[in-house]
Amino acid sequence: MSVTINDVANEAGVSKSTVSKVLNHWTTISPATVEKVHAAIEKLHYTPNSRAVSFAKGATSNIVYLTNLEKDTAYRNPHMFDIMCGVHHTLSENNYSLMLVNTSEERYPGEKVSEVITSGSSDGLIIHGSAINKEIANLILDAGFPHIIIGHPSFESRLCWVDTNHALAGEYAAAHMIACGYTDVAFIGERKTDYISAQRQKGFMAGMLDRGFHIPAARIGNTDSSCQHAYSVTSDMLTQPVPPRAIVCENNTLALGVIQAVKDRQLSIPDDIAILTFDVYPYSSIIDPQLTIVDINVYDTGVQAGSMMIRKLQNPELLIQSYTTLPVIIQGESTRPLP
Amino acid sequence: MSVTINDVANEAGVSKSTVSKVLNHWTTISPATVEKVHAAIEKLHYTPNSRAVSFAKGATSNIVYLTNLEKDTAYRNPHMFDIMCGVHHTLSENNYSLMLVNTSEERYPGEKVSEVITSGSSDGLIIHGSAINKEIANLILDAGFPHIIIGHPSFESRLCWVDTNHALAGEYAAAHMIACGYTDVAFIGERKTDYISAQRQKGFMAGMLDRGFHIPAARIGNTDSSCQHAYSVTSDMLTQPVPPRAIVCENNTLALGVIQAVKDRQLSIPDDIAILTFDVYPYSSIIDPQLTIVDINVYDTGVQAGSMMIRKLQNPELLIQSYTTLPVIIQGESTRPLP
DNA sequence: CTGAAAGCGCTTACAG
DNA sequence: CTGAAAGCGCTTACAG
């Protein structure tokens, strides 16, 4: 019923080996033959059966995006999908397809990865940071399966990963504040155990120190990552004899609390207190005033991960462990150079 | 190198046909044989090669989720991913995988669908409303390819689709308002040409009328879908001699403008003006006050679409055109029964 | 530069 | 209840 390589071979008057070689861009076929085969393909509207190709080649041209998918992930963590879109973009350009696999409903840790590896349904694995754990790490390392992890794993290993440099983003925040003329800057972050928050804080403090400004402990506020807690921590800070001139908020949710605290004390942004935060978030656009943001282009992180995967497939020995995407400053109304 | 069906057959002392039958749950195999085969599979850690299975069966156990993916879709339209998660959940339960395909970078309309259909890389197509058009419709109908479209297509056809009943959601809004005792209720919607907004408005007005309350034209505000425009339309409405007692906002963005307009006139919510909107949105949680919402569980819509696809695969003749997921009221602080 | 032939690892009529 | 054999539609050494 559907057109096969044999039909094309007959139509073109060549063997199916030759058709196959044309399809796979072998350089040993004469231009005239290539021409004939293409004409036959056009005429018959032939498309190779991808199941047969996969089977014969022993490869799928498919990559799995492994992640932890809960019912409301789309709202709580849109970044995960933005990354996925970036990955998809690059793979698609390279004629790879992307299959979504969810680790959240596994019967045992590593179940899905085992399946992917042993069933041969995919040539490589891109693993979102939310899904990685030791079981999975061991499975892919033992099998030598091509993989890229998005986000630096929390444990040492020979895993391949790409990540954004959160400490660098913290430095960008410091540089921006100093450039505006703010030298007395506070930092409101998450719990001290939060990796990203700690990195950003570290980078921020180092960036300030490099430029000659030491941030004392009193200017650092750690929260339970709720808006409410950010509000109270900020309120406390603002009642100190000398309040800070500017505040760096580690994320948009904290920023909401910080802004409210500033407004409730009748202080104006940025004239009394300047504010900066990290990451464009779903509700960034409706925060009043529009915040200055140190943004990480996570779509680009996905694009990078996709490229790395393509490189791995060509050169499986490659050990990739790198910080890729650079932060970028999105200027809002919440910071302004001092006169 | 890797374990094949022959290895299992040897280990179990049966033919590979028999192993295959055990794998495919044929009922004609004796319990003793099944036992032996399972033991061999366990011992050898055998997993069937999915490429070979696909090829031999002529089917992939894979479904494509076709959608329009732009760089910032994850932020602008998280619903699309929530639906996708629902689809994935159901398919995964039924041992189907989900492949993501993007229509936004096609060289011509229908390119991706043609590829999917003719290459046989997938057994069915779930199409997000953002990706459907006449070209695609014709391709899948001509090929008789199993498909489910999420969202009622804007043109008549024999396509299979599932959708949520937006008019019904409008009725829910009316019923809730009446139940609270609000009878003079305004509706702020998008442009008149917006399908979802028009459906919600229609259902709302019908719901009010059914309960004996006619909504006059002066109580309907159409906007260009911006927060700002919602603000001005609402402000105008509130300066009328008799302002409405409650307002139904067709979406969260409009609600932001409406709330601001109400607050700027020193009116309190819900004591002076009650407010209700549709859909849980990324920033719903930070709107002050928390709004009462008529929500459509779009994850469930995805789940339904997945189930329908499974049914279609079993019975390709099935014509599915149905409204599935029911709306649900999420009570917030912006409406309250009158004393 | 081209083709005949083996083979990829399963499934499934068919025969027994 | 079980197995031998053909076949799914390609790719790829190999020979010429």
Side-chain angles (χ1 to χ4, degrees), chain A residues 212-229:
Chain A
F213 302 95
H214 170 70
I215 304 296
R219 288 295 192 236
I220 303 297
N222 288 104
T223 70
D224 62 8
S225 87
S226 74
C227 182
Q228 288 71 24
H229 200 194

Side-chain angles (χ1 to χ4, degrees), chain B residues 24-43:
Chain B
N24 290 286
H25 307 107
W26 285 36
T27 49
T28 57
I29 309 291
S30 78
T33 305
V34 171
E35 197 52 50
K36 274 193 300 185
V37 171
H38 278 151
I41 287 172
E42 289 279 288
K43 179 167 173 198

